[in-house]
Amino acid sequence: MARSIHAQSRRNNTPLVEVNSAAIPEELIESELFGHVKGAFTGATGAKKGKFELADGATLFLDEVGDMSLIFRRKFCAFLKSNASNPWGVQRLFR
């Protein structure tokens, strides 16, 4: 269904970034969606753009949002309201 909607949208010439939230471990969901910088946590050997940044100007499909933790859903709602985020390890907000 998401692919069909994307194909008929004005953004059909941009990527459809799909995320199965249930498949991402709770401790990694924030990094996957918001990104991180080198050294933000053990194993962060380089910077990584999050799915929100990768989908900027494109279409983002989040599947299984209900399986995200309540804590992360609060952060996600704050992101939707402000349209600003900060990758792990960064203090300033990106818009």
Side-chain angles (χ1 to χ4, degrees):
M1 177 75 99
R3 288 186 183 124
S4 177
I5 292 170
H6 174 70
Q8 296 176 36
S9 75
R10 294 182 313 219
R11 296 180 178 194
N12 63 3
N13 61 338
T14 64
L16 170 62
V17 179
E18 298 179 69
V19 178
N20 180 352
S21 304
I24 303 171
E26 184 177 343
E27 60 274 4
L28 296 178
I29 191 79
E30 193 167 349
S31 172
E32 283 294 313
L33 295 179
F34 293 114
H36 63 261
V37 296
K38 180 179 179 178
F41 53 88
T42 303
T45 58
K48 179 183 176 185
K49 291 183 178 183
K51 300 295 187 187
F52 293 136
E53 188 175 353
L54 292 172
D56 187 29
T59 303
L60 177 66
F61 172 61
L62 293 175
D63 196 13
E64 305 296 339
V65 174
D67 288 340
M68 293 178 181
S69 72
L70 290 175
I71 293 168
F72 184 77
R73 280 192 266 168
R74 240 181 269 129
K75 291 178 184 182
F76 178 61
C77 287
F79 165 74
L80 291 176
K81 287 180 182 178
S82 68
N83 195 27
S85 68
N86 57 320
W88 272 10
V90 175
Q91 298 303 315
R92 69 185 190 285
L93 292 179
F94 291 99
R95 293 191 185 269

